[in-house]
Amino acid sequence: RSSTAQLHLLTPTFFLLTGIPGIGSAQAWVTLVFGPMYLLALLGNGALLAVVWIDTTLHQPMFFLLAVLAATDLGLATSIAPGLLAVLWLGPQPVPYAACLFQMFFVHALTAMESGVLLTMACDRAVAVGSPLHYSILVTKARVGYVALALAVKAVAIVIPFPLLVAQFGHFRAKTIGHAYCAHMAVVELVVGNTQANNLYGLALSLAVSGLDILGITSSYGLIAHVVLRLPTQEARAKAFGTCSSHICVILTFYVSGLFSYLTHRFGRHTVPKPVHILLSNIYLLLPPALNPLIYGVRTKQIRDRLLETFTCTKSQF
């Protein structure tokens, strides 16, 4: 018996993802929610990227930022959805130890990247509304590229400690992860040893990255509101606000769902059932990638017109 216990403490060659424990056979029905979400994320973000790539009139900083957001959403959804759907439909699935660490890295890095892109888009709208005459000088395609590269480097730099901190542990209590993907804290719960550094770094990173980005977004929209309210006519105010409405909807989708997930995990661990924790964390990662292309596709005239034109031309060929 002691040798068996010792084997269970060794670093496993694979982890076993259980999906959403506690709901039994109902897991298969949850695929009817997350499956369409992932399909929307693939089709919507793929269409946005294709439209921005093909239509040279959309080769502008604002649409390049939108393309970066779409690429990030595509990566974020793909980092968890295939494995999530497999677990929900087929039952517990093994995932190699190294693959689990890679998934942990990509999920958290792309989440940090998305938050940074939303902050950049808020700053872009603040410049467009606050200094429209200087916008083309201050915001260029080259600068958007540099900012996107900087955001990617930052995301990698701040998230790489997650898998490294986990990899330093050589013993685990079990190899079964009660989650649908390799979330950092779900893996840390299995570690044998002092995990205070993991817990503190995870908490500090969540508060610092999200907190600073939300502060920057709030400041940008405070500036926008200050400028808009000083415009002389209602029509001018409505037009200025209309340029920001899509972005506001995207921000609310990402941060409100993230806030619910974070609060239930940090403060409702003993009062909120675990299946609710896991459902919220998956909704947080899949809902924004599914809704963002719909929001921008419907509310951004240039993209809407281009998509309608493409659909009409395709339909007329049949």
Side-chain angles (χ1 to χ4, degrees):
R1 179 178 302 176
S2 61
S3 61
T4 303
Q6 183 66 26
L7 285 174
H8 280 296
L9 293 176
L10 296 177
T11 300
T13 56
F14 67 91
F15 288 111
L16 194 67
L17 293 172
T18 60
I20 307 174
I23 64 173
S25 59
Q27 283 199 144
W29 292 101
V30 180
T31 58
L32 298 178
V33 177
F34 291 125
M37 278 189 185
Y38 182 46
L39 185 61
L40 277 175
L42 286 179
L43 296 177
N45 290 294
L48 276 179
L49 286 170
V51 165
V52 174
W53 177 270
I54 294 170
D55 193 343
T56 55
T57 64
L58 299 181
H59 290 182
Q60 304 170 30
M62 182 182 76
F63 296 107
F64 281 151
L65 283 174
L66 180 55
V68 174
L69 180 66
T72 304
D73 280 337
L74 204 56
L76 183 58
T78 302
S79 68
I80 69 161
L84 167 66
L85 295 175
V87 170
L88 294 178
W89 188 253
L90 302 175
Q93 296 291 308
V95 55
Y97 177 78
C100 188
L101 296 185
F102 274 112
Q103 185 185 46
M104 179 193 304
F105 167 76
F106 280 110
V107 167
H108 292 288
L110 289 168
T111 303
M113 179 75 179
E114 175 131 353
S115 183
V117 173
L118 292 178
L119 170 60
T120 305
M121 294 175 78
C123 295
D124 172 76
R125 291 300 85 202
V127 175
V129 174
S131 303
L133 298 179
H134 300 93
Y135 178 80
S136 60
I137 299 174
L138 296 174
V139 183
T140 63
K141 290 183 286 187
R143 287 178 179 175
V144 168
Y146 293 142
V147 169
L149 179 61
L151 290 175
V153 171
K154 185 198 78 170
V156 170
I158 64 177
V159 172
I160 196 68
F162 277 155
L164 294 180
L165 285 171
V166 172
Q168 71 176 337
F169 293 101
H171 299 86
F172 291 79
R173 293 185 178 88
K175 61 182 179 181
T176 301
I177 300 176
H179 211 292
Y181 65 91
C182 292
H184 174 244
M185 292 311 300
V187 177
V188 169
E189 288 176 357
L190 303 180
V191 167
V192 175
N194 185 358
T195 61
Q196 186 176 4
N198 302 69
N199 296 329
L200 289 177
Y201 188 75
L203 178 61
L205 189 61
S206 298
L207 294 176
V209 173
S210 297
L212 290 175
D213 288 349
I214 291 174
L215 180 62
I217 291 171
T218 303
S219 301
S220 296
Y221 275 97
L223 175 62
I224 290 171
H226 176 72
V227 173
V228 169
L229 292 175
R230 296 176 61 186
L231 294 175
T233 65
Q234 182 68 31
E235 182 182 356
R237 289 193 289 270
K239 183 178 179 181
F241 178 76
T243 64
C244 307
S245 57
S246 299
H247 188 239
I248 292 173
C249 293
V250 169
I251 289 172
L252 291 176
T253 301
F254 181 75
Y255 285 110
V256 171
S257 60
L259 182 63
F260 274 108
S261 178
Y262 176 80
L263 291 177
T264 55
H265 178 76
R266 288 291 176 183
F267 305 109
R269 185 172 299 179
H270 303 295
T271 56
V272 179
K274 189 170 184 179
V276 176
H277 287 291
I278 299 175
L279 278 171
L280 286 175
S281 66
N282 284 284
I283 289 172
Y284 166 53
L285 296 177
L286 282 176
L287 185 62
L291 290 184
N292 289 351
L294 293 179
I295 293 171
Y296 278 109
V298 171
R299 300 185 66 89
T300 306
K301 185 179 184 301
Q302 296 95 320
I303 293 177
R304 183 176 66 247
D305 292 346
R306 180 59 175 167
L307 287 173
L308 288 174
E309 179 185 342
T310 303
F311 177 77
T312 304
C313 291
T314 302
K315 188 176 179 180
S316 64
Q317 292 175 359
F318 289 95

